[in-house]
Amino acid sequence: MEQQTVEMIAQMVLQTINKMDDKTGGYQVPVGVSARHIHLTQKDVETLFGEGYQLTKKKELMGGQYACNETVTIVGLKLRAIENVRVLGPVRKASQIEISSTDALKLGIKAPVRESGDVAGSAPIAVVGPKGAIYMKEGCIVAMRHIHMSPADAAAAGVHDGDVVSVKAENERGTVFNHVKIRVNESFTLEMHIDTDEANASKIKTGDRVTIVKQ
């Protein structure tokens, strides 16, 4: 094949790729499906598991967080319960529970969709451990879907911390997720977090890739 023909074909391929990038945003992100979990203060850890108790690490997560061996039972206002809710460490300044909308229906509570840490006025819930129980007047939320990024990933994607984007899943369901919050930190690994309801409805599993389509 003549050199001129090869160069022409290569140019056409590049143009096609660029058009695809313009249409989709061109930046792909792996998905992590986030199951229900709880963050606890040290005070609440000791109430639930015993005086002086320290959480034990099961699996490393991003941003210095880790899944713990410890689990608890959460109880809604109508005494409906969900067992084996995973504790995530390290301890925090305020306790918080993240569940799905389906979990909220089962528990009989109205958990709002919030960004992690925004718990003011959120749903009340009780938490039961092997050594005791706590009642949280607020702190139970449905986590707003979001993308974790390092500064390098954010620069490559053309986004900034706090931006809200739309993301498309190219599978048989063809789902577009709006209102996806960008969270940027040096300690973050590139990953979009959705809950189990969102994953099941869109037929997405951990490790699948989605594409940022607009800002």
Side-chain angles (χ1 to χ4, degrees), residues 77 99 104-105 107-113 121-124 140-142:
L77 298 180
I99 62 175
L105 288 172
L107 292 167
I109 61 175
K110 295 180 179 180
V113 177
S122 58
C140 188
I141 64 170
V142 175

Side-chain angles (χ1 to χ4, degrees), residues 79-111:
L79 299 181
R80 299 172 183 171
I82 296 177
E83 299 179 333
N84 298 316
V85 176
R86 183 70 56 188
V87 179
L88 298 191
V91 294
R92 290 192 175 187
K93 294 181 180 180
S95 293
Q96 172 183 300
I97 301 173
E98 297 177 33
I99 62 175
S100 69
S101 294
T102 298
D103 290 338
L105 288 172
K106 179 176 180 179
L107 292 167
I109 61 175
K110 295 180 179 180

Side-chain angles (χ1 to χ4, degrees), residues 158-171:
V159 296
H160 304 87
D161 185 52
D163 284 352
V164 177
V165 301
S166 293
V167 172
K168 185 174 183 179
E170 293 283 4
N171 59 17

Side-chain angles (χ1 to χ4, degrees), residues 5-215:
T5 303
V6 172
E7 291 177 353
M8 182 179 68
I9 293 173
Q11 186 175 9
M12 291 172 63
V13 170
L14 288 173
Q15 288 175 346
T16 300
I17 291 172
N18 288 334
K19 287 179 181 178
M20 290 174 63
D21 287 346
D22 289 340
K23 183 179 179 181
T24 65
Y27 200 81
Q28 291 196 326
V29 179
V31 175
V33 180
S34 182
R36 66 181 78 96
H37 58 272
I38 183 170
H39 303 276
L40 294 168
T41 64
Q42 181 58 35
K43 179 182 178 181
D44 287 345
V45 168
E46 295 190 30
T47 300
L48 295 169
F49 295 97
E51 184 177 354
Y53 193 89
Q54 299 294 314
L55 296 173
T56 59
K57 191 178 298 184
K58 177 181 176 69
K59 179 183 178 182
E60 291 281 357
L61 304 173
M62 74 173 69
Q65 294 191 90
Y66 51 88
C68 300
N69 291 300
E70 291 76 18
T71 62
V72 296
T73 297
I74 57 176
V75 184
L77 298 180
K78 297 180 179 179
L79 299 181
R80 299 172 183 171
I82 296 177
E83 299 179 333
N84 298 316
V85 176
R86 183 70 56 188
V87 179
L88 298 191
V91 294
R92 290 192 175 187
K93 294 181 180 180
S95 293
Q96 172 183 300
I97 301 173
E98 297 177 33
I99 62 175
S100 69
S101 294
T102 298
D103 290 338
L105 288 172
K106 179 176 180 179
L107 292 167
I109 61 175
K110 295 180 179 180
V113 177
R114 297 279 185 84
E115 188 174 358
S116 180
D118 181 10
V119 298
S122 58
I125 198 162
V127 184
V128 181
K131 298 294 185 179
I134 59 173
Y135 175 72
M136 298 167 56
K137 293 183 179 179
E138 59 185 19
C140 188
I141 64 170
V142 175
M144 179 181 183
R145 46 186 173 256
H146 56 277
I147 299 175
H148 290 283
M149 287 184 163
S150 68
D153 290 322
V159 296
H160 304 87
D161 185 52
D163 284 352
V164 177
V165 301
S166 293
V167 172
K168 185 174 183 179
E170 293 283 4
N171 59 17
E172 62 265 40
R173 298 304 297 265
T175 307
V176 175
F177 295 98
N178 296 317
H179 310 302
V180 183
K181 190 75 171 282
I182 299 294
R183 298 171 61 182
V184 181
N185 189 285
E186 287 282 0
S187 64
F188 288 164
T189 302
L190 181 64
E191 192 169 65
M192 176 178 171
H193 284 177
I194 58 177
D195 65 29
T196 50
D197 282 356
E198 295 168 314
N200 290 337
S202 58
K203 297 197 72 174
I204 294 175
K205 62 184 182 300
T206 293
D208 288 350
R209 302 182 76 85
V210 293
T211 304
I212 296 176
V213 292
K214 68 176 182 178
Q215 300 179 29

